[in-house]
Amino acid sequence: MKSAPLALFVVLLGTASAFAETGAERAACTPDVMRLCASQIPNAGAITLCLRENRVALSSACRTVVDRSDRAKGNIANRR
């Protein structure tokens, strides 16, 4: 199970443009991913969806990251 944190880091690093863009944002959500979405590792898209689906159970720091990501995604969609 020691590889799970490494896999999580790689997954979150790989989804930087879609979700957690900084090390601080990844760190804010890592505990929530391990607690709520560990079964989704290493599927980055599934982890992101899981976090959104469990928004009410997220830590305040991770919820801020998810909300910021959703707002940015909405702004991009509105430009099209």
Side-chain angles (χ1 to χ4, degrees), residues 12-21 26 69 72 76:
L12 291 178
L13 181 63
T15 61
S17 63
F19 192 69
E21 295 188 13
R26 286 188 294 277
S69 173
I76 291 169

Side-chain angles (χ1 to χ4, degrees), residues 6-77:
L6 177 59
L8 175 62
F9 177 76
V10 170
V11 167
L12 291 178
L13 181 63
T15 61
S17 63
F19 192 69
E21 295 188 13
T22 68
E25 290 172 336
R26 286 188 294 277
C29 288
T30 297
D32 292 315
V33 170
M34 297 304 288
R35 180 172 54 92
L36 300 167
C37 307
S39 64
Q40 306 302 326
I41 297 170
N43 185 332
I47 291 170
T48 301
L49 181 61
C50 176
L51 290 173
R52 286 186 174 117
E53 288 174 345
N54 289 287
R55 186 186 178 286
V56 296
L58 297 177
S59 64
S60 61
C62 186
R63 190 176 313 120
T64 298
V65 173
V66 171
D67 290 347
R68 189 178 307 135
S69 173
D70 287 347
R71 280 193 303 274
K73 187 177 175 182
N75 288 340
I76 291 169

